Amino acid sequence: MHNELIQKAIEVLKYNDVGGWTRPAPGLYPHQWLWDSCFVAIGMSHYNPKRAQQEIMSLFKGQWENGMIPHMIFSGDGEKHLSPNLWDSKVSPLSPRKLETSGITQPPLLTQAVVSIGQKLSSHERRNWYKKTWPHLLAYHQWFYAERSPHAEGLVVLIHPWETGLDNTPPWMQAMRQHQRPLWIKAIEAIRADKLIEKLRKDTRQVPPDERMSTAESLMLVNIVRRLRRKHYDIDKILLRSHFAIEDVMFNSLLIRGNQLLTEIAKDIRKTIPKETLNYMNLAPKSLENLWDQQDEQYYSRTFVTQKPIREPSIASLMPLYSGVITKKRASQLVSALKNTKEYGTNFPVPSVPLSSEHFSQRRYWQGPSWVNTNWLIIDGLERYGFKREAAQLRNRTLNMVDKSGFFEYFSPIDGYGAGISPFSWTAALTIDLAKTADE
Ligand code: GLC
């Protein structure tokens, strides 16, 4: 039984509660992040569904007129020059007038979170909850296909690495370096000014630099924001000239699952999804299968313009398991990779990059460490494919890792050592969910 661990996790969420929404961690993350709040709501739904609902309603306050839910809603805390001014969301007439937000989105787990809460309510309360959230959810899913699926085959494109939630994940870093390496970044690296900039960075003041992304990578990410801002976050303008857009395998897997859940909600409250959106939703599973690479026998993200796979393995390659739409054969192939001790089968799984990758680094952010949220997605997928034993094993290993090291942001897959910031909200929230299921 995990009662003590659950109690500690609830304390973490209380500590990070800033009134109606939850910051990911003290200090480093003072704002509201989209997928963080979805995970938080999933955890809270077990002991306080009302508060979990608030967490989600708070995200809707940031929704843009075109339906996009931004990846960050700024709290007013923290250093203004670093975030709200960088994004300057008001340059788009579609952004909310009363709040400052970022101009991009993050992995689509909102519909999942709404359903996870719904499952804890009475049928009457659940339908009311679904009715209340429906207009927001529908607008959100419609936005993906209206604005982010220009090839009209049901896969959506992402325009910034931060949209993946896996900020410095190797496939995106590779694509970014190939696509643009502004002269000033080259110059900074050449004169080693990155050491100086390192001093100004906020994250490396709180977390050891070898657990974060490199300064050159950070500068490149900020540079893309500046470009998006110059285009006023207008997707037509952005895609017209930029070749930096990617059909991301993890994001699309999550969206496909979100579509299934949206359909369930629609049935429950007798709503219809407009035909145009439905057409895209129906095309998506087959298009996801097109991301399977025969040569390497795994799923890869693909660059939007050339339609070429980015042959760089990462945890994203396993996420079609969560989509639920790949064949059992493919799911078994992914399970083999999960178990392979040269790839993802480490002592404290699941590493964000397989051991065999040249980029693997056990404590560096999304370039090696194990994260509780990606474990949660994999466990959920394993369950639905009937890999019950594997799901239970990963669930227990995840819980032991958190129990041993604390509510860290991420963990070394080799020795389970906690890294990044602590106490981290989604680690706590998903611990609650995993522990409740383990104890059932
Ligand atoms: C980092 C993570 C991202 C998360 C955010 C707040 O940027 O990469 O996934 O949402 O921190 O926790």
Side-chain angles (χ1 to χ4, degrees), residues 225 243 268 294 371 402:
V225 173
H243 290 182
D268 200 7
Q294 295 290 355
W371 291 69
V402 176

Side-chain angles (χ1 to χ4, degrees), residues 45-46 98 344:
S45 71
H46 287 280
K98 290 191 184 142
Y344 297 96

Side-chain angles (χ1 to χ4, degrees), residues 30-171:
H31 309 293
Q32 188 175 22
W33 267 263
L34 171 54
W35 77 328
D36 297 66
S37 276
C38 294
F39 291 125
V40 163
I42 291 170
M44 280 177 170
S45 71
H46 287 280
Y47 63 93
N48 191 348
K50 280 244 148 11
R51 178 60 188 77
Q53 289 174 320
Q54 268 186 349
E55 189 80 24
I56 298 300
M57 293 312 293
S58 164
L59 288 172
F60 291 146
K61 285 191 200 147
Q63 188 160 29
W64 286 33
E65 252 176 61
N66 55 0
M68 181 182 81
I69 312 265
H71 99 294
M72 290 173 81
I73 300 174
F74 297 113
S75 65
D77 268 5
E79 295 162 56
K80 207 165 161 61
H81 66 280
L82 282 179
S83 292
N85 286 2
L86 167 70
W87 287 99
D88 196 10
S89 54
K90 298 284 190 313
V91 296
S92 166
L94 305 173
S95 66
R97 298 294 95 182
K98 290 191 184 142
L99 285 171
E100 292 191 276
T101 76
S102 72
I104 56 170
T105 192
Q106 235 188 356
L109 276 158
L110 198 52
T111 316
Q112 167 79 70
V114 167
V115 170
S116 296
I117 296 170
Q119 285 165 348
K120 314 288 183 317
L121 303 173
S122 70
S123 50
H124 173 70
E125 283 171 343
R126 186 188 67 235
R127 288 200 192 99
N128 280 345
W129 169 236
Y130 287 170
K131 280 181 196 153
K132 188 167 167 187
T133 53
W134 176 258
H136 297 284
L137 291 179
L138 181 64
Y140 175 53
H141 283 251
Q142 284 184 299
W143 167 75
F144 280 119
Y145 296 116
E147 294 211 0
R148 291 297 188 91
S149 194
H151 283 165
E153 22 69 304
L155 291 184
V156 301
V157 294
L158 303 187
I159 53 175
H160 194 293
W162 279 331
E163 292 199 306
T164 68
L166 318 181
D167 308 8
N168 64 340
T169 186

Side-chain angles (χ1 to χ4, degrees), residues 402-427:
V402 176
D403 203 17
K404 166 181 136 88
S405 302
F407 298 99
F408 273 87
E409 195 178 3
Y410 39 95
F411 303 84
S412 155
I414 311 284
D415 57 17
Y417 174 97
I421 204 98
S422 158
F424 191 64
S425 294
W426 83 41
T427 302

Side-chain angles (χ1 to χ4, degrees), residues 171-186:
W172 275 78
M173 292 303 99
Q174 187 194 326
M176 188 169 72
R177 280 177 186 275
Q178 273 169 7
H179 174 65
Q180 61 158 16
R181 213 151 131 71
L183 279 177
W184 55 272
I185 290 177
K186 266 196 191 156

